[in-house]
């Protein structure tokens, strides 16, 4: 089944793109970049950029649900983001609390499951409390898994996995000869989730920034100059359309 959308990546573009509903990426990751620059362009404080970014989250989560994406991982706060001024860190934590308070009922009604990756024990207790409520409320849903990457870093995740696997080795719970990709993946925050298929990074930067390092081995990357607060569902459609027109070979050859 195909769905047709306006191709609005370029404002003057009136062409139509067709999205194959049978080939929607199972797992999309988004590096929500450009909030600060968006605010600066408008002579606003950086925190206003993050606030506008939350509006985008709302729309994109909804659209991913509608399209049948199964996992959406949003890079909301990295292990490196603690280096930002404390006022900005606090504002981001407050936005998280506000978002959960305001959106939880609707997310739940839309069958969304809230999940996190990253070490959330280091987040302020008010964030942990809201997250706990969100996990509890949505745990029996069966729709989109909204995976919030909070205090998340790909290197940190891999190191933690190695340490915990080493412990299991020492305790004889696993044997070294049995360790393979699949076994190692079970030690990551994303255990039981498929690898990310498509990584979207707006704002013109083209790097991975410690996001889903293990899981992105065969991900398709999609970049755009649009800053996250200006990212619309039409950009998501275009990213999915481009993804569907790529030739994913996973290191093999295409069978004709
Ligand atoms: C990157 O833009 C964005 C972030 C580090 C934070 C993203 C967080 C939100 C959009 C809101 C909080 C999250 C939730 C789940 C409610 P930047 O600040 O690095 O932008 P810049 O590169 O233009 O300075």
């Amino acid at each position: 089944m195909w769905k047709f959308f306006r191709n609005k990546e370029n404002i003057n573009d009136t062409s139509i793109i067709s999205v194959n509903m049978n080939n929607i990426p199972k797992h999309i990751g988004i590096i929500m970049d450009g909030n600060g620059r968006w605010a600066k362009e408008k002579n606003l404080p950086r925190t206003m950029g993050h606030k506008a970014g939350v509006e985008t989250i709302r729309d994109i989560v909804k659209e991913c649900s509608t399209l049948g994406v199964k996992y959406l991982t949003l890079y909301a706060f990295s292990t490196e983001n603690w280096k930002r001024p404390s006022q900005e860190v606090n504002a981001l934590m407050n936005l998280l609390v506000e978002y959960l308070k305001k959106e939880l009922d609707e997310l739940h009604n839309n069958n969304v499951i809230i999940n996190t990756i990253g070490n959330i024990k280091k987040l302020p207790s008010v964030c942990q409390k809201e997250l706990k409520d969100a996990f509890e409320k949505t745990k029996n849903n069966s729709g989109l898994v909204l995976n919030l990457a909070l205090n998340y870093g790909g290197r940190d995740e891999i190191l933690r996995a190695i340490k915990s696997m080493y412990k299991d080795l020492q305790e004889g719970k696993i044997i070294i000869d049995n360790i393979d990709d699949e076994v190692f993946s079970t030690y990551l925050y994303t255990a039981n989730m498929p690898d990310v298929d498509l990584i979207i990074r707006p704002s013109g930067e083209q790097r991975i920034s410690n996001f889903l390092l293990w899981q992105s081995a065969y991900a398709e990357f999609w970049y755009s100059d649009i800053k996250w607060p200006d990212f619309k569902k039409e950009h998501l459609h275009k990213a999915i359309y481009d993804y569907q027109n790529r030739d994913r070979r996973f290191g093999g050859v295409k069978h004709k």
Side-chain angles (χ1 to χ4, degrees):
M1 192 181 73
W2 297 81
K3 268 197 180 173
F4 298 93
F5 299 105
R6 289 273 305 278
N7 175 15
K8 265 186 51 186
E9 192 181 9
N10 169 348
I11 200 96
N12 298 316
D13 199 337
T14 54
S15 60
I16 301 286
I17 54 168
S18 50
V19 167
N20 180 355
M21 296 304 285
N22 296 321
N23 185 24
I24 295 292
K26 260 200 198 86
H27 187 169
I28 297 181
I30 306 184
I31 303 177
M32 306 183 288
D33 200 9
N35 297 344
R37 278 163 286 161
W38 181 90
K40 196 170 175 211
E41 275 169 10
K42 296 175 167 48
N43 281 321
L44 294 169
R46 291 177 56 80
T47 50
M48 291 306 284
H50 296 312
K51 198 162 187 250
V54 177
E55 298 301 318
T56 304
I57 292 179
R58 199 165 285 142
D59 295 345
I60 296 305
V61 168
K62 218 176 208 171
E63 192 60 15
C64 281
S65 273
T66 307
L67 291 170
V69 174
K70 185 60 197 156
Y71 297 89
L72 173 65
T73 302
L74 298 179
Y75 206 4
F77 194 86
S78 75
T79 43
E80 287 72 38
N81 285 153
W82 297 107
K83 288 187 245 167
R84 296 188 175 208
S86 60
Q87 189 221 7
E88 184 170 340
V89 170
N90 292 340
L92 285 167
M93 298 302 157
N94 289 338
L95 282 173
L96 172 66
V97 170
E98 240 176 65
Y99 172 74
L100 292 171
K101 278 198 165 134
K102 218 163 138 193
E103 298 296 316
L104 186 57
D105 283 344
E106 193 179 337
L107 289 165
H108 180 55
N109 292 337
N110 287 333
N111 205 15
V112 171
I113 303 159
I114 311 275
N115 191 54
T116 55
I117 56 171
N119 181 8
I120 60 167
K121 289 195 185 112
K122 292 275 158 68
L123 300 183
S125 53
V126 57
C127 296
Q128 293 186 47
K129 188 204 163 283
E130 290 303 326
L131 285 166
K132 204 169 150 238
D133 291 351
F135 298 153
E136 193 51 39
K137 184 159 183 149
T138 62
K139 68 179 182 200
N140 294 321
N141 289 343
S142 57
L144 172 78
V145 176
L146 172 58
N147 213 14
L148 300 173
L150 293 163
N151 191 21
Y152 172 85
R155 286 185 171 182
D156 179 60
E157 178 184 39
I158 290 169
L159 284 174
R160 282 167 170 272
I162 290 170
K163 286 180 193 169
S164 126
M165 202 169 66
Y166 183 70
K167 203 164 155 267
D168 282 357
L169 271 169
Q170 280 184 318
E171 290 171 6
K173 290 184 183 155
I174 52 169
I175 57 166
I176 198 147
D177 288 344
N178 288 349
I179 299 172
D180 58 10
D181 284 20
E182 217 173 292
V183 169
F184 186 71
S185 296
T186 64
Y187 288 87
L188 299 170
Y189 290 121
T190 50
N192 304 320
M193 295 181 202
D195 280 352
V196 62
D197 297 300
L198 169 64
I199 292 186
I200 295 175
R201 182 166 193 162
S203 95
E205 311 292 358
Q206 301 193 353
R207 53 178 171 265
I208 190 76
S209 297
N210 209 9
F211 185 53
L212 300 177
L213 295 182
W214 172 273
Q215 301 85 341
S216 63
Y218 284 101
E220 296 295 327
F221 287 83
W222 192 85
Y223 302 107
S224 159
D225 287 339
I226 298 285
K227 297 180 180 66
W228 178 246
D230 289 330
F231 191 93
K232 302 279 177 257
K233 61 182 182 186
E234 287 79 4
H235 301 112
L236 177 71
H237 300 151
K238 182 61 168 47
I240 293 176
Y241 170 82
D242 287 346
Y243 163 87
Q244 291 180 343
N245 285 285
R246 296 208 189 149
D247 188 11
R248 296 187 87 193
R249 292 187 300 278
F250 299 92
V253 286
K254 186 97 178 173
H255 297 288
K256 298 234 171 185

